[in-house]
Amino acid sequence: MKKILTVGVFDLLHFGHIELFRKAKALGDFLTVAVQDDENVVKFKPGTKLTYNTDQRCYMVASIRHVDDVVVYSSAENAVKENDFDVFAKGPDQNNESFQAAIKWCEENGKEVVILPRTEGISTSLIKQILKG
Ligand code: CTP
């Protein structure tokens, strides 16, 4: 049983997120998605206005068939330390200090790190921009 972990905000769930879950699940047998709690989303990306709260974002992610389990996390570093997995699947955009610490921890603890390419042409920020008109 190969366990995969991926993390993110997942506000305004979209095609790019579903593709991420599909690709992450294809790396193994069991996919855990960690959803960042409201307080830390704002801490890591000041000025972010979330549409959905932590529970609502977890509920949406848990409804996707590629996803086997959903947990809440504060920082990427804590997410890798607190969860049981073999492969940490991350996006190329997930590069802040906490992600760098998470990758280092994975390397030191025998966990594989896989960078999954983003789906072109879609993002939460773009959806918000389009809706603004
Ligand atoms: N992701 C992806 N393809 C996209 C958008 C996101 O693969 N088109 C992935 C990111 O690489 C990350 C995860 O989805 O691994 C969570 O990204 P998140 O920041 O929640 O979504 P975005 O749509 O990128 O949000 P924003 O525009 O606010 O950055």
Side-chain angles (χ1 to χ4, degrees), residues 6-11 14 16-17 20 23 45 90-94 116-126:
T6 196
V7 309
V9 177
F10 309 113
D11 196 30
H14 58 66
H17 294 144
L20 169 77
K23 289 182 251 180
K45 274 194 202 171
K90 67 179 271 302
D93 50 314
Q94 296 182 315
L116 292 173
R118 281 173 69 91
T119 301
E120 294 300 318
I122 184 76
S123 72
T124 296
S125 317
L126 183 64

Side-chain angles (χ1 to χ4, degrees), residues 40-64:
N40 281 287
V41 171
V42 176
K43 195 173 137 193
F44 280 91
K45 274 194 202 171
T48 303
K49 284 200 186 106
L50 288 169
T51 304
Y52 295 107
N53 67 32
T54 310
D55 285 348
Q56 290 169 324
R57 289 181 288 114
C58 286
Y59 174 69
M60 291 191 291
V61 170
S63 305
I64 306 302

